[in-house]
């Protein structure tokens, strides 16, 4: 592998913007180290590293980048796994992404990782069984991740039977989540319903008629934004 962890960190640090780093740390309310590198810049680096690595090397680099626990290294780790098809087998990537979920402590890194994980779930929908286990976790960010990883199923105009069944399964989770007082959980339900309303408005109207009173007012408003 020509891309070592040290080289990867050096490439990110070469793009550092201390002023932006301070702004990002304040915005995310995090004590984690920030370089102040933009997501498009990280995308470019990750694309180059992906092309220069075998799958096993890429998984090793992603593992090391996540463990480095710098904001940009964790974004880069997720970007290395954000790919519609990982051949010949994406099981290693799926297991690695799952292993990161307990580390989530904010929406930004969680969402970058779950965007990569969305593609792994769409590729193998039976992985929903593992995701359902997240919905009862005491860790709020794990519970939220279950809604974010399944967002592709809220965005389909013509879901196949297996996809529609998965959609209904998530709407069942949303019923339980509606009583959760945490703002980020409420937001995740609203986000899911809002996206679904663009593709199946009657289903969202029905869900809100039955369960909307359990949501906080801001979440009900967000869920029905496109009505």
């Amino acid at each position: 592998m020509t891309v070592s962890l040290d080289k990867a960190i050096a490439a990110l640090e070469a793009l550092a913007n201390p002023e932006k780093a301070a702004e990002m740390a304040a915005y995310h309310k995090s004590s984690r180290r920030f370089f102040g590198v933009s997501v498009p810049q990280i995308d470019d680096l990750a694309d180059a590293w992906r092309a220069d690595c075998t799958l096993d090397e890429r998984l090793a680099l992603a593992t090391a980048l996540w463990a480095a626990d710098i904001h940009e290294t964790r974004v880069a780790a997720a970007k290395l796994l954000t790919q519609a098809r990982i051949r010949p087998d994406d099981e290693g990537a799926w297991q690695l992404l799952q292993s990161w979920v307990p580390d989530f402590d904010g929406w930004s890194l969680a969402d970058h990782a779950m965007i990569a994980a969305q593609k792994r779930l769409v590729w193998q929908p039976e992985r929903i069984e593992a995701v359902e286990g997240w919905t009862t976790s005491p860790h709020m960010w794990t519970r939220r991740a279950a809604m974010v990883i399944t967002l592709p199923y809220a965005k389909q105009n013509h879901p196949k039977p297996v996809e529609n069944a998965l959609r209904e399964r998530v709407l069942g989770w949303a019923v339980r989540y509606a009583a959760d007082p945490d703002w980020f959980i409420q937001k995740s339900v609203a986000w899911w319903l809002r996206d679904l309303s663009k593709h199946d408005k009657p289903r969202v109207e029905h869900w809100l008629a039955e369960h909307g009173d359990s949501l906080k007012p801001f979440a009900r408003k967000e869920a029905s934004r496109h009505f």
Side-chain angles (χ1 to χ4, degrees):
M1 178 173 63
T2 59
V3 185
S4 66
L5 175 63
D6 288 344
K7 286 184 178 179
I9 291 177
L12 288 163
E13 198 162 14
L15 300 171
N17 181 328
E19 183 177 346
K20 185 176 179 181
E23 292 173 356
M24 291 170 64
Y27 175 74
H28 291 290
K29 298 180 176 64
S30 173
S31 59
R32 183 173 285 112
R33 187 180 180 190
F34 288 78
F35 289 147
V37 182
S38 70
V39 172
Q41 288 175 307
I42 297 172
D43 272 327
D44 289 343
L45 287 174
D47 285 347
W49 298 339
R50 187 163 51 234
D52 203 29
C53 291
T54 67
L55 177 55
D56 286 346
E57 289 170 344
R58 192 182 351 152
L59 292 174
L61 179 58
T63 300
L65 285 166
W66 188 267
D69 199 19
I70 302 166
H71 181 83
E72 286 80 359
T73 63
R74 289 198 161 185
V75 174
K79 293 295 183 180
L80 282 171
L81 305 181
T82 305
Q83 185 178 349
R85 299 286 184 269
I86 295 180
R87 299 184 187 280
D89 181 10
D90 74 344
E91 184 62 23
W94 170 242
Q95 293 298 330
L96 182 56
L97 286 159
Q98 285 189 92
S99 76
W100 294 344
V101 174
D103 295 340
F104 295 164
D105 56 6
W107 64 266
S108 178
L109 293 177
D111 288 1
H112 283 298
M114 286 300 96
I115 288 170
Q118 286 172 1
K119 299 181 185 301
R120 311 281 64 78
L121 177 61
V122 170
W123 183 236
Q124 297 286 345
E126 60 270 22
R127 287 169 172 158
I128 195 67
E129 300 298 334
V131 175
E132 182 150 26
W134 303 356
T135 66
T136 56
S137 171
H139 181 227
M140 182 274 290
W141 294 107
T142 297
R143 298 197 306 277
R144 179 183 178 276
M147 299 302 290
V148 180
I149 194 176
T150 53
L151 272 170
Y153 295 96
K155 300 177 181 180
Q156 297 166 324
N157 284 318
H158 305 290
K160 298 174 184 176
V162 66
E163 294 165 339
N164 195 59
L166 195 152
R167 176 184 287 179
E168 289 301 317
R169 193 167 180 173
V170 178
L171 288 171
W173 303 347
V175 174
R176 301 198 308 270
Y177 279 22
D180 192 311
D182 192 280
W183 189 92
F184 284 101
I185 296 296
Q186 292 278 316
K187 179 70 174 177
S188 71
V189 173
W191 184 6
W192 220 95
L193 294 170
R194 182 197 67 201
D195 281 3
L196 179 59
S197 73
K198 300 175 189 176
H199 307 276
D200 191 347
K201 179 181 175 183
R203 184 65 185 91
V204 177
E205 289 177 325
H206 179 73
W207 192 98
L208 288 172
E210 288 199 329
H211 311 292
D213 288 346
S214 298
L215 289 171
K216 291 185 180 297
F218 87 87
R220 287 198 305 271
K221 181 177 180 180
E222 178 69 13
S224 59
R225 183 200 297 181
H226 296 297
F227 286 4

